Amino acid sequence: MNAPVSPAETLRAALAGLLDGLPPKAAAQAVDRLIANYRGTTPTDTPILRDRADVAAYAAYRMPATFEAVRAALDAFADVVPQWAPGSHVDVGGGTGAATWAVNATWPGERPVTVLDWAEPALVLGRELAAASPQLRSAEWRRARIGAQLALPAADLVTVSYVLGELTEDGRAAVVDAAVAAGRAVVIIEPGTPDGYARVIAARDRLIGAGFSVAAPCPHSATCPIVPGEDWCHFSARVSRSSLHRQVKGGSLAYEDEKFSYVAVTREPVAPVASRVVRRPQIRKGQVLLDLCEVGGGLRRSTVTKRQGLLYKAARDAEWGDGWPPAG
């Protein structure tokens, strides 16, 4: 019997099929503009994705990385609430639907899904991609203005990924408030930059103020111990790059690392991890250095030595973003 195809593999195949025949020059030009928007200051109240060429280039340039970042955030959330799975999902500013694919990679099974975006070309392509996934074929793709006066249908899970940076400060607050009103759990993901982290922290404060508890990455719902302007909390997801992906983005490596910041909150009972690894572990001779955010709301560097046996072996296997210590 053949092994089931993963959502990531299905998505890669669907992307390859939809992008086949796109003129390389048009794709390259669209990617250059998208990179400028992604790294710079995007005009607010204006969709970044303007036409089919933009959307196809975006799907090749950003969708694999967005999928992996959102999946990493959702995996950390799922580890903290192992008995819970969303019965419904609303994706705000979902574009071509990377977050919907990530949700189904984390919690397999069909559920009501609504994707909201203000760019009709993105919704059209997202719907085409979703046709390749039995779990997403019934998803609703709805055009909506993302910002002030946004109203969301009630859902167990609301995701807001890589969209707050496109909004004014008031627009960000309105989107978070809409997620508060609609969701039992909310997951917000932004680029792993100081500005992206600042947007996540502002959303985190607003969500906690509305009665949510932080499930991940923080092991607490207290004030973030990182001093603003001195550092920022972010994580990394490894992204496999297909030949098509390398063609559109340039370069020859078979992978890249997507940096992201996120917060996952819930109204469900939650027991966060005791601490979380917030920097890449440093493996040295006979010891591993782990930078941890702890349940008490502080930061600490822990040194795990070879004398600690199984814990040392676990530390050598620990990855940036993991909970610590490992279960068992």
Side-chain angles (χ1 to χ4, degrees):
M1 180 179 295
N2 293 330
V5 178
S6 72
E9 292 169 327
T10 303
L11 177 58
R12 279 195 292 269
L15 281 171
L18 281 173
L19 296 174
D20 185 35
L22 180 70
K25 184 176 180 180
Q29 290 173 341
V31 165
D32 287 344
R33 189 176 66 79
L34 288 167
I35 290 174
N37 279 322
Y38 179 69
R39 293 179 178 171
T41 301
T42 303
T44 59
D45 300 321
T46 303
I48 291 177
L49 305 177
R50 301 176 302 192
D51 53 30
R52 177 75 179 199
D54 273 4
V55 174
Y58 170 84
Y61 165 54
R62 286 299 307 159
M63 200 169 176
T66 302
F67 168 82
E68 293 296 352
V70 177
R71 181 167 68 169
L74 295 176
D75 282 348
F77 178 34
D79 286 344
V80 175
V81 287
Q83 305 305 318
W84 181 86
S88 55
H89 173 212
V90 170
D91 187 25
V92 180
T96 52
T100 65
W101 289 81
V103 168
N104 283 334
T106 307
W107 295 284
E110 190 171 357
R111 60 183 59 82
V113 176
T114 302
V115 182
L116 301 176
D117 201 273
W118 49 16
E120 185 65 28
L123 295 169
V124 170
L125 191 140
R127 189 181 297 113
E128 292 177 29
L129 287 170
S133 169
Q135 298 178 4
L136 293 175
R137 287 173 186 165
S138 62
E140 181 182 358
W141 301 78
R142 186 190 307 170
R143 190 173 187 183
R145 188 177 185 86
I146 309 302
Q149 300 177 344
L150 175 67
L152 304 177
D156 289 338
L157 174 64
V158 176
T159 54
V160 186
S161 60
Y162 292 89
V163 69
L164 294 184
E166 300 175 24
L167 305 175
T168 63
E169 186 173 349
D170 288 345
R172 293 170 199 156
V175 167
V176 174
D177 288 347
V180 165
R184 294 292 302 171
V186 179
V187 180
I188 294 177
I189 305 99
E190 283 288 297
T193 63
D195 286 346
Y197 161 73
R199 291 190 291 269
V200 167
I201 285 298
R204 178 185 185 273
D205 291 345
R206 204 169 188 91
L207 291 162
I208 292 171
F212 285 85
S213 297
V214 177
C218 326
H220 58 82
S221 295
T223 300
C224 177
I226 294 176
V227 178
E230 293 186 5
D231 202 353
W232 70 98
C233 183
H234 65 291
F235 302 92
S236 180
R238 179 61 51 94
V239 183
S240 297
R241 304 173 73 194
S242 66
S243 59
L244 176 66
H245 193 195
R246 293 197 297 272
Q247 177 183 346
V248 172
K249 292 191 66 176
S252 58
L253 290 177
Y255 66 89
E256 65 182 5
D257 291 322
E258 170 72 5
K259 305 296 195 304
F260 65 98
S261 296
Y262 77 98
V263 65
V265 302
T266 179
R267 294 193 186 278
E268 306 297 325
V270 61
V273 296
S275 60
R276 190 170 300 278
V277 181
V278 292
R279 289 289 179 271
R280 197 178 302 279
Q282 300 179 42
I283 300 177
R284 300 180 179 175
K285 186 176 181 180
Q287 62 182 16
V288 181
L289 306 182
L290 299 176
D291 290 305
L292 304 173
C293 182
E294 298 188 303
V295 70
L299 297 171
R300 179 175 68 90
R301 171 165 286 186
S302 175
T303 301
V304 184
T305 67
K306 198 169 185 179
R307 297 178 188 175
Q308 292 173 271
L310 292 176
L311 193 64
Y312 171 73
K313 292 180 180 178
R316 286 184 61 88
D317 292 335
E319 297 183 356
W320 185 6
D322 284 352
W324 185 262

